[in-house]
Amino acid sequence: MADVLVVGELKNGELKKISKELTSAARKIADAIGGKVHTLIITDNVDAFAGDLKAVGADAVIGANLGEFSPEGYANGIFAVIQEKKPAVVLMPHSAQGKEYSARVAIKANAGIVADAVALSVDGGKVVAKKPIYSGKAYANFKVSSDIQMFTVRANSQEVTPKDGAGAVEKSGASVGEVRTKSLSKDLSGGNKVQLADASIIVSGGRGIKGPENWPIIQDLADTLGAALGASRATVDAGWISHSHQVGQTGKTVSPNCYIACGISGAIQHLAGMGSSKYIVAINKDGDAPIFKVATYGVVADLFEVVPALTSEFKKVLG
Amino acid sequence: MKIVVLVKQVPDTETNIKVGDKSINEAGVKWIISPYDEFAIEEGIRIREKSGGEVIAVSLGPDRVVEALRTAYAMGVDRAVHVKVDDYVTFDSTYTSELLANFIKAENADVIIGGRQSIDTDSSQVVVQIAERLNVPHVAMALKLEFDGNKVTATREIEGGTEVVETSAPLAVTAQKGLNEPRYPSLKGIMSAKKKPVDVKKPEELGATGSKLEVVSLEPPPPRIAGRKLEAADAQGFASQLVKALREEAKVI
Ligand SMILES: Cc1cc2nc3c(=O)[nH]c(=O)nc-3n(C[C@H](O)[C@H](O)[C@H](O)COP(=O)(O)OP(=O)(O)OC[C@H]3O[C@@H](n4cnc5c(N)ncnc54)[C@H](O)[C@@H]3O)c2cc1C
């Protein structure tokens, strides 16, 4: 059998959208190569997620209780499930956590891996993964030649398509094994705000906002849209906001459905991080700014006038 | 302490990339050390300055990567090793990590430090794969590292914040921006770096089993949907047009 195993992800006890995106992508691959879709969720409460995952094509939803995240523990647990299910293809999220455990899982399984794939197709029974390279200035297509083909996949890059899978629920006995890195404390002052990595909408500010006292103008629009707050490197280097908000080559790579750039010139290093966004809105008073070369909708105007107007307009229509 | 820092040479971001069939056309490309690897080199040197020992810089790639190793010498590493391979194979993280891990194994390193990702392939795989191959723990996205003998306390970036972890050497670390400020090579350092030896290792000597990736093709980026500039008399006009476009045309909000 040529089964596909998906490693899903939860956030605060809820299913992240990437779990459905990957299950849906796995369904298409499994249908093409003739196999089943298994979606693994790290939880002691797998029943809560079975319905949602079955509805996007999971034949089996597996729960493994591996406790708090540790890259080694997750890698050990996920590898145990791989040994049991013997999938031909494994899809993992290219999330902060996924990047860490996927590297260990690939070595344990003696598999080749393509990381940060944005498109998956099947050719001659093998998955072809497309990924941006050189800051999005080229795209490469890869096949993995080992028996198990592994991929980490960028959030928001895969369509979620309804399709009924068998949806059987299983509980795995996989355990964390030996973990040599102990978590002493966490500081989540980023709070429960929307995180850049998974956000489907991002509102970003650049040097055009003039100073840190003006973030509320950008944050208000983000809050109204349920969006994450992004920033250009110029604002981070100026000390207006923490590096964790930086989008770009030396910040985070994001692929939201909608990226709203306010007062950002669109330097190549910034585009490297957000250039694959589905829709890009640019608000900039300089009509020649490079950001307009990639913007789906360009607004040549003063952000201090347009952004508040946009916030109140959205408040009206979104209620 | 024996510290190995991993140094990857990548095209400068501003460089024009011309896509060939299975690799890029390297003519005219300007090469730099991947920015996160600069934090790795700096951290390696700082650990040695505190605890003694030696720092070995390793770069995998074709002949041009020796230039990156000279820069590492100029910053202050003690030894430089060139793992010599064709370059497009560097897309393949498992092959890269196998070659590098086999080299590091022979060196018995206490600390292996690389960047959190290289800016050409953005895979974030090699350093953690090396940790797995050497059967040692790792700390990814490190913002602070402290050694007390073999005990290591580290602060690292996680989604939505930071985490303090405790582990022990030997270990692998990936450097995130904030870990340190890389020093500039001194003129004296640059001059003396020119004369320092660079050891060359070939894949055959390192006993790697080979690539697990097939490059099917390279292509230029997909063209973006033609954008348009909105026309309006005032901010309110722009706002209502944008809301309409995003809700009715793009259907994203
Ligand atoms: C190695 C390296 C890595 C880098 N990595 C990153 C990265 O990860 N992310 C990143 O963003 N950058 C990165 N950069 C920096 C990048 O080159 C740019 O300097 C940076 O993106 C510029 O930020 P900005 O657009 O906010 O500022 P600017 O380039 O100063 O642009 C500000 C824009 O705001 C507009 N503006 C001003 N006032 C208003 C107003 N009232 N209303 C509307 N518009 C207004 C201006 O017209 C201008 O276009 C990197 C650079 C290097 C060398």
Side-chain angles (χ1 to χ4, degrees), chain B residues 109-162:
Chain B
D110 301 293
V111 192
I112 301 128
I113 316 180
R116 75 150 216 232
Q117 69 193 71
S118 60
I119 63 157
D120 53 352
T121 55
D122 295 317
S123 292
S124 300
Q125 287 282 322
V126 167
V127 182
V128 180
Q129 286 186 11
I130 290 172
E132 179 66 28
R133 289 185 187 279
L134 298 177
N135 191 22
V136 300
H138 77 266
V139 174
M141 306 276 277
L143 297 167
K144 193 172 168 199
L145 272 183
E146 271 170 86
F147 287 83
D148 177 6
N150 274 351
K151 205 181 97 186
V152 180
T153 311
T155 305
R156 69 186 209 101
E157 185 176 319
I158 55 171
E159 215 168 279
T162 57

Side-chain angles (χ1 to χ4, degrees), chain A residues 205-208 210 231-235 246-251 263-267 269-270 283-286 289 301-304, chain B residues 13-14 35:
Chain A
R207 188 144 45 196
K210 300 286 191 288
S232 74
R233 172 163 160 182
T235 65
Q246 184 179 319
V247 171
Q249 179 165 67
T250 48
I264 294 179
S265 60
Q269 295 90 349
H270 192 78
I283 302 169
N284 193 310
K285 63 183 187 187
D286 171 10
D302 189 337
L303 74 91
F304 291 101
Chain B
T13 328
E14 317 260 353

Side-chain angles (χ1 to χ4, degrees), chain A residues 17 44 56 64 77 93 97 111 149-150 152 154 167 193 228 257 260-261 271 278-279 283 307-308:
Chain A
K17 188 163 156 270
D44 57 359
V56 291
Q97 297 186 352
Q149 308 158 60
M150 291 200 179
T152 71
R154 191 181 287 188
K193 291 256 186 217
N257 285 326
I260 306 181
L271 302 184
K278 258 190 211 105
Y279 290 88
I283 302 169
V307 176

